[in-house]
Amino acid sequence: MWMREQRLLVLVAGVFGLFAAAALTQEPGDRAMQIGTLLPRQIDGWRAGADDKTFTRDTIFEYMDGAGEIYLAYDFQRLLVRQYAKAGAPALAAEVYQMESSEDAFGIFSHDLDGQEVALGQGARYAAGFLRFWKDRVFVRLLAERETDETRAVLMALGKQIASAIPREGKRPLLVDCLPTEGLLSDSVRYFHKQVSLNCYYYLADGNLLNLSERTEAVLGRYQRGEHKVWLLVVRYPDAQEARSAHEQFQRIYFRGKPSAESPARVEKVERGEFVSVQWEDRFLTLVFEAQDKETCVRLSDAVTGKLKEVSAWKRQRAK
Amino acid sequence: MEATKSEVTRRDFFTGAAYGTLGLALGLKGLPRRAGAAEPFAAEKPVSTVVLVRNEAAVGPDHQINAKVVAEMLDAAVTAFSGEADALKAWKRYFRPDDTVGIKFTRCGWMTVPTEPEVTEAIAARLRDAGVPAARIHVKDYGMPLKECTALVNVPSIKAHTLTGIAVSVKNYICFASGKLERYHGDGSAKLGETWLLPDVKGKTRLVIVDALRPYFGPGPQLNPLHRWDYKGLLVGTDPVAVDTVCLRLCQVKRNLFKGEEWPLSPPAKSIAAADTEYHLGTSDPTKIKLVKLGWSDGVLI
């Protein structure tokens, strides 16, 4: 009898697991992702508090005030917050963010890459009692009230358990693969959509100079060029016309006071002896900032053009 | 060709053509200097004075706050700022027994960079010593009974902020606004200064006391412990813009040290510039500010 009950329990758990996995593998458009199933009720003596909190796009400000704008800019969908406590030990807080896409999970993860890289999920960083990672459409933050050897170990264990519960990996943004690799400072890479995000990483202008929106994708990276560092920004627009419009606007405002130019590629010397370039091709803009010479702008821009041609998904789109 | 407001760019900022005092406050390289201008934060005839006090014992190795030391720091800073002979006289200079005082702190629970309770408790204790009854001292983040308050003490923490560049005293009154606070998110939160001009707020702030015990300088939007450090300080002033400008410099220097290169606070803290030029709440020009430094000097950074 006991064996039969045990088999029944295993069967139920298996079916439950299948549903949980199915929920997590649901395609975009299906909103019912069960992120609550990712977090255990207890781990290594830490027990979950009675009251989880959940937040949606409409209520995220209730949790984190204005900082919610950053998550909204990454198409955040739902957040689950759970506290863990253990007698005599620092408390833990777990935040599980369901994003609309794995690309956006990567993006919000890339917002802050300071910390030690750890092998967890599809990308993870740890520092001083704080662990975060991304996998598929999920971004996870785990924070200990205080770092001890014990809390470090339990954060890692909790992270591994959560990552294991997410059944598959998601796609990295294709645009990130269009960054040339030579000299790229990998911890500088940021993926985003909107002006509010760009302003956090690299203030360009008060206005939305590049017409960024939820319909655009952008990647920012920094490169070592000799003793100097150079910024590269690549933006993908819904179509070539929008890219062209942004190209014109950028030149008109950013190169204000300089003679206008009709060329799709332009390099200008600006203050502090630096060079800035902007290049328009199809639905892409490529911009270089803080270069020390014109050649750096040209070489980086050309390298991006080469990469864009390599990327097979866009090759197919260009063939349409 | 001059820029319109919406066409201000990085080039304008880094050349001082726009938000010039902010760039100066941040110590950005290559900014033009006005002939005859004082060194930043060393004005001989200041428009505003800010007092910074630090004590190595204010924060312990596990980040515990020493309440007794904090109370002593508070007394030292307020006394120095007021020019009075002792702490009680100093507090009585700013608060009367018939005042109803609101101590507005920053809870910021989600980011865990709050105003430390030891700071607000020390302030409340000194208010009681100055004769203000406990029943007329309100220590609040949200829910301040503003209509009752005849005086306010603005007691923020220091944190770099994804929307405003930095959030200190100018931003601390956002809770006093009614309706959806998201309306302050746009345009670099430039409109935050208007919260100081609300009818129940205007003219009531007697002191700005900034909790600089454990400031946060990172990119957010939430806490990364790597981006927080035990500065062990308090700042006191009456000009919120000047106080915030000092905090801008502090965070910027720390960021540069952390990265080993210039890591500008981003976006530019327009709310501080606007608090100066649009709302006239004080000065953001570091050459018009005098910073008086007391106490522990290791790692003072400014």
Side-chain angles (χ1 to χ4, degrees), chain A residues 108-114 125 130 132 190, chain B residues 219-220 224 227:
Chain A
I108 190 62
F109 170 74
S110 76
H111 181 89
D112 172 15
L113 293 175
D114 283 337
R125 291 285 192 278
F130 174 45
R132 67 270 195 214
R190 305 285 183 268
Chain B
N224 179 340
H227 300 142

Side-chain angles (χ1 to χ4, degrees), chain B residues 40-285:
Chain B
F41 307 111
E44 290 182 1
K45 293 179 184 173
V47 168
S48 294
T49 298
V50 178
V51 171
L52 165 67
V53 64
R54 297 173 69 232
N55 189 309
E56 194 176 3
V59 184
D62 274 349
H63 312 302
Q64 330 94 304
I65 310 299
N66 186 318
K68 183 169 175 294
V69 170
V70 165
E72 289 166 2
M73 290 165 66
L74 183 67
D75 277 351
V78 174
T79 306
F81 184 78
S82 70
E84 295 288 350
D86 63 55
L88 193 55
K89 283 196 173 104
W91 283 95
K92 285 182 175 179
R93 182 186 167 104
Y94 299 107
F95 301 96
R96 299 182 304 269
D98 63 354
D99 272 322
T100 299
V101 185
I103 300 173
K104 169 63 180 74
F105 68 92
T106 305
R107 187 182 307 279
C108 200
W110 56 270
M111 198 173 176
T112 62
V113 185
T115 307
E116 299 292 351
E118 289 81 359
V119 176
T120 53
E121 282 158 13
I123 296 170
R126 271 306 187 195
L127 288 172
R128 291 192 297 270
D129 292 341
V132 183
R136 289 213 302 273
I137 300 171
H138 303 284
V139 186
K140 299 271 186 195
D141 181 13
Y142 283 85
M144 184 72 76
L146 280 172
K147 286 196 188 302
E148 290 175 34
C149 292
T150 58
L152 293 170
V153 189
N154 187 321
V155 193
S157 56
I158 299 176
K159 56 186 183 294
H161 195 282
T162 47
L163 299 182
T164 62
I166 197 169
V168 197
S169 68
V170 169
K171 191 173 187 296
N172 193 27
Y173 283 174
I174 191 173
C175 305
F176 294 162
S178 57
K180 284 194 174 294
L181 300 185
E182 294 90 277
R183 71 182 186 279
Y184 288 102
H185 292 172
D187 191 26
S189 299
K191 290 186 177 168
L192 282 171
E194 75 177 28
T195 60
W196 285 68
L197 302 177
L198 294 168
D200 291 331
V201 179
K202 188 175 179 180
K204 290 184 180 177
T205 304
R206 305 276 177 86
L207 282 175
V208 177
I209 300 173
V210 176
D211 173 356
L213 295 168
R214 305 189 62 213
Y216 179 76
F217 62 89
Q222 295 138 294
L223 178 76
N224 179 340
L226 276 183
H227 300 142
R228 196 173 186 196
W229 89 112
D230 292 347
Y231 187 64
K232 307 182 183 184
L234 296 177
L235 290 141
V236 171
T238 49
D239 176 350
V241 187
V243 170
D244 284 13
T245 302
V246 172
C247 296
L248 260 186
R249 172 61 76 98
L250 176 64
C251 279
Q252 185 58 63
V253 173
K254 185 61 181 177
R255 283 166 69 100
N256 296 349
L257 282 172
F258 181 83
K259 289 283 187 185
E261 59 177 345
E262 199 173 66
W263 182 26
L265 280 160
S266 197
K270 287 180 67 174
S271 59
I272 296 176
D276 178 352
T277 58
E278 307 276 335
Y279 301 104
H280 311 295
L281 298 176
T283 183
S284 61
D285 185 345

Side-chain angles (χ1 to χ4, degrees), chain A residues 209 246-258 260 266, chain B residues 1 4 7:
Chain A
L209 207 57
H247 180 241
E248 287 171 356
Q249 177 169 268
F250 177 84
Q251 291 187 84
R252 178 176 60 78
I253 296 175
Y254 207 78
F255 295 146
R256 185 176 63 242
K258 293 191 180 284
S260 61
R266 182 174 176 184
Chain B
M1 201 192 317
T4 63
E7 293 183 352

Side-chain angles (χ1 to χ4, degrees), chain A residues 228-294:
Chain A
H228 301 282
K229 291 177 184 166
V230 178
W231 291 90
L232 173 66
L233 174 64
V234 183
V235 186
R236 180 173 183 261
Y237 292 84
D239 56 55
Q241 182 54 42
E242 291 203 40
R244 180 182 177 171
S245 177
H247 180 241
E248 287 171 356
Q249 177 169 268
F250 177 84
Q251 291 187 84
R252 178 176 60 78
I253 296 175
Y254 207 78
F255 295 146
R256 185 176 63 242
K258 293 191 180 284
S260 61
E262 292 295 323
S263 169
R266 182 174 176 184
V267 183
E268 292 285 353
K269 188 173 183 180
V270 294
E271 296 72 24
R272 309 208 281 190
E274 295 171 352
F275 289 80
V276 175
S277 69
V278 58
Q279 178 169 293
W280 164 49
E281 180 166 346
D282 191 29
R283 64 185 75 189
F284 297 93
L285 282 193
T286 301
L287 301 104
V288 178
F289 298 94
E290 298 182 31
Q292 296 300 303
D293 50 59
K294 186 176 178 179

Side-chain angles (χ1 to χ4, degrees), chain A residues 195 199 203-210, chain B residues 5-8 187:
Chain A
Q195 170 79 352
N199 267 348
Y203 167 71
L204 202 54
D206 280 4
N208 190 357
L209 207 57
L210 295 170
Chain B
K5 224 174 178 177
S6 65
E7 293 183 352
V8 171
D187 191 26

